[in-house]
Amino acid sequence: MKTVMVDMRDGIDKEGMRLAGEILRNGGLVAFPTETVYGLGANALDERASARIYGAKGRPSDNPLIVHIADWEDIYKIAVDIPGEAKLLADRFWPGPLTMVLKKSDLVPLTTTGGLATVAVRMPDHETARALIRAGGGYVAAPSANTSGRPSPTKAQHVAEDMDGVIDMIIDGGDVAIGLESTIVDLTEGIPTILRPGYINQEMLEEAVGRVEMDRALISEDSSVRPKAPGMKYRHYAPRAELIIVEGEEHCVRDQINRLVAEAESAGKKAGVIGTEESLLCYRSGLVKSIGSRADEITIAQHLYGILREFDELDVDVIYSESFETPHMGQAIMNRLIKAAGHQIMEVQTPEACSDGSADTGKLR
Ligand code: AMP
Ligand code: MG
């Protein structure tokens, strides 16, 4: 199949948008920009169309899709028993990076919801995305536009790497603004519960609707606790190289990474380092990349997936990353990074041990 790339970086191209809408209404697949990551869209109410998404991504069929809408009223067609919190959250955060899980109506095929009786709904804060949703009939099922398991796409080029020749169209809207997927909140069981952390954090949600809980699987150290969002159980966002997160006091982390890179290199391996603007000059060898600035955490979120893809291009064997427990988005950033690392986290020694030079005993958790 020939994949058409349409450039909408400087705004909506009318003819391109007309064609994209036609593709969606005829059951085809169109990748498009949103403020979070690029989505792979199909008509959410057409069972065959949403089945094609699973095929293109190699996505397990029990991993439900988020349905994107462009106007609040459209929610009434796909969701039932909508609680008051949904309107409060929509008034505060839509359009924006928040997905709400609600009871589904009969119009939504089970293929779209991965067999669940609930539907996840979001209204993206991106003009091109909303124009596409309207052009395509109002309901666009869209997971991230990457091959299942790979880092999510934050630019059209990433989509092309995974989807060229597999889908009908890619709309290029330039680099995304946030770089991590939406926050998912479940409104079907009493107290609203966060199933996936994102830019909109617990505190912001609580300001709008009162008490909000976190899914136990997000906070439990026990990795056998089953997440309520089916997609959260899979290894995800992962580069081809082994990825290890090093945690601890900042200068100990840098020392430890320097040691690990030296060891890897003397074993003949190609090693990568994920540092920040602040730490970049502290690393002595390896392929060192800055993910952004600790002083501006959105830059860290924006660059996370791109940097993992860059290391894939460079064919490194092992990547050592600092950890990024930043104040606002830290939970979301670390949730993705830990999954990408397949839970490989190394804790370095206390600062005392580190400064006396004996901290070569970092251990994997
Ligand atoms: P993606 O669109 O690739 O970011 O993935 C969508 C995420 O939303 C996955 O983690 C899904 O498991 C989750 N999701 C979608 N629909 C539901 C639902 N009805 N209930 C719980 N989680 C959902
Ligand atoms: Mg995804």
Side-chain angles (χ1 to χ4, degrees):
M1 169 187 294
K2 168 118 181 64
T3 302
V4 184
M5 177 80 87
V6 182
D7 187 353
M8 300 203 195
R9 283 173 299 178
D10 293 328
I12 294 168
D13 169 87
K14 272 197 179 154
E15 178 52 22
M17 190 54 79
R18 191 196 60 72
L19 185 60
E22 196 175 295
I23 292 170
L24 288 179
R25 279 182 277 103
N26 289 329
L29 301 182
V30 177
F32 62 100
T34 78
E35 79 279 31
T36 58
V37 299
Y38 273 75
L40 176 56
N43 179 355
L45 306 185
D46 175 347
E47 201 172 336
R48 297 225 328 254
S50 66
R52 288 191 58 203
I53 290 181
Y54 293 88
K57 280 179 64 78
R59 184 174 175 107
S61 61
D62 70 344
N63 189 0
L65 309 175
I66 294 171
V67 179
H68 293 71
I69 60 174
D71 300 284
W72 165 259
E73 298 70 42
D74 292 344
I75 204 169
Y76 297 109
K77 201 164 144 186
I78 52 172
V80 295
D81 301 341
I82 300 171
E85 286 96 341
K87 185 71 170 72
L88 289 175
L89 289 173
D91 284 345
R92 181 81 70 109
F93 299 114
W94 276 6
L98 179 70
T99 295
M100 298 190 233
V101 175
L102 300 162
K103 283 193 191 136
K104 83 172 193 74
S105 77
D106 293 339
L107 271 177
V108 186
L110 286 169
T111 321
T112 299
T113 64
L116 298 176
T118 55
V119 61
V121 190
R122 176 166 113 82
M123 188 191 293
D125 185 14
H126 197 293
E127 237 186 282
T128 309
R130 289 200 304 279
L132 177 74
I133 294 163
R134 293 193 182 107
Y139 301 92
V140 173
S144 47
N146 52 298
T147 301
S148 207
R150 290 208 75 203
S152 302
T154 54
K155 48 182 76 185
Q157 186 50 40
H158 296 161
V159 181
E161 279 166 25
D162 289 8
M163 295 295 158
D164 192 32
V166 179
I167 64 175
D168 301 281
M169 183 188 274
I170 299 170
I171 297 177
D172 185 355
D175 291 0
V176 300
I178 294 177
L180 297 182
E181 298 82 349
S182 58
T183 306
I184 302 180
V185 60
D186 182 2
L187 299 180
T188 63
E189 292 183 48
I191 299 166
T193 304
I194 297 174
L195 306 187
R196 177 173 73 183
Y199 177 81
I200 295 176
N201 62 22
Q202 188 170 14
E203 204 180 316
M204 293 161 80
L205 293 170
E206 287 187 330
E207 269 172 31
V209 291
R211 188 167 152 213
V212 171
E213 289 187 341
M214 298 290 298
D215 183 14
R216 246 171 36 85
L218 291 175
I219 42 183
S220 171
E221 289 274 312
D222 176 0
S223 59
S224 66
V225 178
R226 207 182 156 77
K228 281 170 75 180
M232 298 291 283
K233 69 177 182 269
Y234 296 107
R235 177 155 192 246
H236 227 121
Y237 322 118
R240 284 187 267 270
E242 181 178 20
L243 170 63
I244 295 167
I245 303 163
V246 183
E247 266 183 1
E249 210 266 327
E250 260 178 52
H251 80 275
C252 295
V253 166
R254 296 171 194 175
D255 288 351
Q256 180 71 359
I257 290 179
N258 271 324
R259 267 191 292 273
L260 291 165
V261 170
E263 275 169 29
E265 289 185 337
S266 62
K269 289 187 187 167
K270 196 165 174 183
V273 176
I274 303 181
T276 59
E277 292 303 311
E278 291 81 6
S279 67
L280 215 52
L281 296 176
C282 301
Y283 294 109
R284 289 192 292 270
S285 64
L287 288 160
V288 183
K289 288 186 181 289
S290 165
I291 193 172
S293 167
R294 285 185 187 272
D296 182 8
E297 56 181 306
I298 191 90
T299 60
I300 296 179
Q302 275 169 348
H303 296 136
L304 174 63
Y305 293 135
I307 217 169
L308 296 175
R309 280 179 181 259
E310 282 174 33
F311 278 123
D312 273 350
E313 295 276 298
L314 292 165
D315 231 8
V316 299
D317 302 298
V318 59
I319 306 165
Y320 299 106
S321 177
E322 296 177 17
S323 75
F324 309 103
E325 270 102 9
T326 53
H328 178 94
M329 290 190 76
Q331 195 181 28
I333 294 168
M334 290 311 292
N335 170 267
R336 308 310 194 276
L337 188 62
I338 289 170
K339 270 183 198 299
H343 290 265
Q344 292 210 85
I345 304 168
M346 178 176 279
E347 281 176 66
V348 285
Q349 291 271 359
T350 58
E352 299 76 48
C354 171
S355 53
D356 75 9
S358 61
D360 56 349
T361 48
K363 56 180 191 313
L364 277 179
R365 257 207 231 149

